[in-house]
Amino acid sequence: MRLEEEFSHCDNYDEEEEPKTMSQCSIGALQQQQQQQKFVVVGYALTSKKIKSFLQPKFEGLARNKGILFVAIDQNRPLSDQGPFDIVLHKLTGKEWRQILEDYRQTHPEVTVLDPPDAIQHLHNRQSMLQCVADMNLSTSYGRVGVPRQLVIKKDASSIADAVDKAGLILPLVAKPLVADGSAKSHELSLAYDQYSLQKLEPPLVLQEFVNHGGVLFKVYIVGEAIKVVRRFSLPDVTKRELSKVTGVFRFPRVSCAAASADDADLDPSVAELPPRPLLERLAKELRVFGYLT
């Protein structure tokens, strides 16, 4: 499962630039290297931006020392003709790529595909993405995990104010695109302070009641039994004075991306304190029960 809500200054890469990779390794040489050194071979299909941010030389060297070899997938050749791979790691979109992966999984069941297309599809829709957390209704002695009250608007911006009124949502509201497909637009957030401004929003979207959270959020990454938590700067708290004086819609291109890290910031301890480990472990367990983690 990938949970990701990432300011525009985080995108400093050219998507069109061709990445330099080690994909030129022939299949025969790759097989020989696997046999000699017993590498776990990870075939990757990523955007050039992700390759630059993720596959740093230091990281690839560390992985190789741990017996993990990253090999670029040539998107101009049939996937089944490449490899052999132990894992296929990808972050591409589109129906054609989805079908390629589905076919590959049928013919290569021994290869782990991260993530399976059907699992990704579930997370592409913010309504279904958050519904699993709402369904869990997780509450322990260490804390509670929930979702702010929300409303899905699929069309007709002129009707948003009435829908919000009927649902009893309290302003200000955070507006998020319904589709979370990794595009720049899908990362845009808006904060609407008054009823009149709601008509300026662009459906389809999800509206959520804004909850003050100290201007910091936590991103939780779960892989197997490993749990990693990072702090990121987020939208600032809204005061009662602002609510009485501020109107309009404020747009935020990207929030909580890696460049907005708050891990080394001098924060109020009440804001900076990480969620209790037992609560996160329980969350991971429940997500597996509901089938959202493997």
Side-chain angles (χ1 to χ4, degrees):
M1 175 179 179
R2 302 290 180 263
L3 297 178
E4 262 190 13
E5 290 289 348
E6 298 199 351
F7 299 136
S8 54
H9 60 277
C10 305
D11 289 327
N12 297 321
Y13 309 114
D14 182 359
E15 291 282 1
E16 301 302 320
E17 183 178 345
E18 191 67 28
K20 296 178 181 178
T21 71
M22 56 173 295
S23 62
Q24 320 312 328
C25 180
S26 69
I27 293 177
L30 178 58
Q31 289 174 322
Q32 185 178 19
Q33 193 171 22
Q34 275 184 276
Q35 293 167 355
Q36 292 175 347
Q37 302 185 42
K38 297 182 179 178
F39 276 113
V40 172
V41 180
V42 180
Y44 64 88
L46 308 170
T47 63
S48 57
K49 181 185 76 172
K50 284 297 179 185
I51 292 172
K52 289 179 180 179
S53 62
F54 173 61
L55 287 174
Q56 297 292 319
K58 185 177 180 180
F59 174 77
E60 288 193 88
L62 176 63
R64 192 176 294 109
N65 290 338
K66 297 288 186 179
I68 303 171
L69 185 67
F70 285 91
V71 178
I73 290 172
D74 186 346
Q75 297 174 48
N76 296 316
R77 295 171 50 209
L79 184 54
S80 292
D81 291 349
Q82 302 180 60
F85 303 124
D86 298 292
I87 298 171
V88 169
L89 176 68
H90 72 102
K91 196 169 184 181
L92 300 178
T93 58
K95 292 182 179 180
E96 184 178 356
W97 175 249
R98 178 188 172 98
Q99 189 59 54
I100 289 172
L101 283 182
E102 293 287 11
D103 294 343
Y104 184 80
R105 293 178 72 201
Q106 290 293 323
T107 56
H108 295 78
E110 76 285 359
V111 178
T112 299
V113 176
L114 297 176
D115 285 318
D118 52 347
I120 295 174
Q121 201 64 24
H122 181 86
L123 294 179
H124 274 182
N125 183 298
R126 282 195 168 91
Q127 183 180 20
S128 60
M129 178 200 303
L130 296 172
Q131 191 59 47
C132 65
V133 180
D135 290 343
M136 285 190 299
N137 193 27
L138 179 58
S139 180
T140 74
S141 59
Y142 295 99
R144 184 172 65 88
V145 178
V147 177
R149 290 201 301 166
Q150 63 182 34
L151 176 67
V152 176
I153 304 293
K154 294 188 175 179
K155 57 183 179 180
D156 191 8
S158 63
S159 67
I160 295 179
D162 287 339
V164 166
D165 188 53
K166 289 179 181 178
L169 297 188
I170 299 175
L171 293 160
L173 298 176
V174 177
K176 306 177 182 180
L178 182 60
V179 176
D181 59 4
S183 64
K185 185 174 179 59
S186 72
H187 287 295
E188 291 180 356
L189 302 185
S190 299
L191 190 60
Y193 277 83
D194 63 285
Q195 289 268 3
Y196 177 77
S197 297
L198 293 173
Q199 63 183 316
K200 299 178 182 179
L201 299 175
E202 301 176 13
L205 49 80
V206 175
L207 295 174
Q208 292 181 338
E209 289 183 334
F210 181 75
V211 178
N212 282 341
H213 52 289
V216 173
L217 59 76
F218 303 103
K219 283 195 169 188
V220 181
Y221 300 88
I222 303 171
V223 179
E225 299 301 317
I227 299 175
K228 173 69 174 177
V229 185
V230 297
R231 299 180 188 88
R232 298 283 172 86
F233 285 112
S234 179
L235 301 181
D237 286 353
V238 177
T239 65
K240 291 183 178 180
R241 184 173 182 274
E242 287 176 316
L243 283 176
S244 64
K245 293 189 175 184
V246 178
T247 60
V249 172
F250 293 81
R251 304 187 187 278
F252 302 87
R254 288 178 72 89
V255 177
S256 78
C257 62
S261 173
D263 282 331
D264 299 322
D266 185 15
L267 301 170
D268 186 313
S270 64
V271 172
E273 184 180 3
L274 297 178
R277 182 75 182 193
L279 179 62
L280 298 178
E281 290 173 348
R282 176 69 183 278
L283 173 61
K285 180 180 178 181
E286 293 296 319
L287 287 170
R288 286 193 180 91
V289 170
F290 276 80
Y292 298 112
L293 281 179
T294 56

